[in-house]
Amino acid sequence: MSEHQGQPTERPDGDPAPHQAPALPAATVFDALGAEYERAFAGSAAHHASLDRLLEHLAPGSRVLDVGSGTGVPTARRLAAAGHRVVGVDVSPVMTALAARQVPDAKFRCADIRELPWADGEFDAVCVYFSLLQMSRGEQSGLLGRLARAVKPGGRLAVATVPVDVADVSAVFMGQPVVVSSFGEEEFASVVAEAGFTVEERHSVLFTPDHPAGAPEPHLFLHGRRI
C-alpha cells in the first residue's frame, strides 16, 4: 500500500454523513493520486531524517523491503542510491509504474503485501512508511509480525504512522473517501514490540502536506531491531 497510505486530511467523528461517498480501495485511491501524492509528502524532513538513521545501520548492499513503496520517492530512491538492493511492493498499478520509471535500480511489485509469502530472514531491513493506515488494527498487527519473520535477526525496521486512536473511521484523504485505523503512540510502539522488534528510537512531528487540502497531522517514526 502506498506510502502514507490513507492518512486522513479530514477526520470526521462518528459515522459519515449520508451523502459521503463510500470508501475506496487503496489501489483506487492511489491510482487517482499518482504523482500528486509524491508532491504532497516526499519533502517531509522527518521522513528523510528517518531514512538517514536507517542508512546508518545498514551494511553495504543490504536487501531492503519497502512496504507501500508508492512512487519510489523518497524511500526506494535514497536506499537504491546508497547501493542497497530494494524490493518495493505497492497495491497501486499507477504508483508501481511511476516507481519503476523513477527508481530503475530497484525492483517493484504491484501486489497486496498481505498476500505475499516471504522466506524467514529474507531481508536485512524493512521500511513501512505510513502504509498500514487503510488496514484494520488486526491486519496491521498481523502484518508486522510477518514482516518481523521476514527480517534477519538483528535486522532493521523503520516504520511510521499517524498516531491517532481510531478504528475503521471514515475520512477524506486528498479528496478521496477512505476508511482508516491506527493506534495512539504508546499502543503502536507496543504493537511493534509485540511483533518481534526492539524499539530503539522514536520521533514525533507535526507535518502539513504540500496540497490544497493538506492540514497538519501528527507523524510518528519508530526505528527498531529484529529480536
Side-chain angles (χ1 to χ4, degrees):
M1 288 69 187
S2 296
E3 289 185 357
H4 296 81
Q5 176 195 9
Q7 308 98 294
T9 52
E10 301 172 31
R11 296 190 179 94
D13 294 325
D15 294 331
H19 65 274
Q20 183 170 333
L24 298 173
T28 303
V29 170
F30 289 96
D31 279 351
L33 294 177
E36 182 181 6
Y37 173 84
E38 180 184 316
R39 288 191 293 271
F41 287 96
S44 166
H47 190 149
H48 283 276
S50 175
L51 287 169
D52 289 341
R53 289 193 291 275
L54 176 63
L55 286 165
E56 290 173 358
H57 291 292
L58 295 180
S62 290
R63 183 170 167 82
V64 184
L65 176 62
D66 183 9
V67 178
S69 44
T71 66
V73 179
T75 303
R77 174 179 283 177
R78 289 204 52 196
L79 291 167
H84 300 295
R85 296 169 294 154
V86 182
V87 177
V89 178
D90 199 285
V91 75
S92 163
V94 170
M95 292 288 204
T96 305
L98 280 168
R101 291 197 298 271
Q102 295 194 128
V103 194
D105 292 334
K107 296 180 179 179
F108 296 95
R109 297 180 62 177
C110 182
D112 188 328
I113 190 69
R114 294 168 293 188
E115 299 174 356
L116 292 178
W118 304 107
D120 289 353
E122 186 171 348
F123 297 96
D124 299 296
V126 60
C127 298
V128 194
Y129 284 110
F130 302 100
S131 49
L132 301 173
L133 290 154
Q134 278 182 265
M135 301 180 193
S136 70
R137 287 177 166 185
E139 287 174 324
Q140 293 182 41
S141 299
L143 178 60
L144 286 167
R146 289 186 57 228
L147 293 174
R149 292 189 291 275
V151 176
K152 296 176 181 177
R156 311 304 304 189
L157 166 74
V159 60
T161 192
V162 176
V164 290
D165 185 11
V166 295
D168 302 319
V169 169
S170 296
V172 177
F173 173 66
M174 294 179 68
Q176 305 293 317
V178 296
V179 171
V180 298
S181 297
S182 190
F183 302 90
E185 181 171 334
E186 294 301 327
E187 188 176 4
F188 186 70
S190 295
V191 168
V192 171
E194 290 168 4
F197 295 98
T198 298
V199 177
E200 296 181 337
E201 296 181 57
R202 68 170 75 181
H203 182 57
S204 298
V205 298
L206 195 65
F207 177 76
T208 302
D210 184 10
H211 186 268
E217 57 187 50
H219 286 180
L220 171 66
F221 295 83
L222 300 181
H223 283 259
R225 179 175 47 81
R226 172 74 169 92
I227 297 172

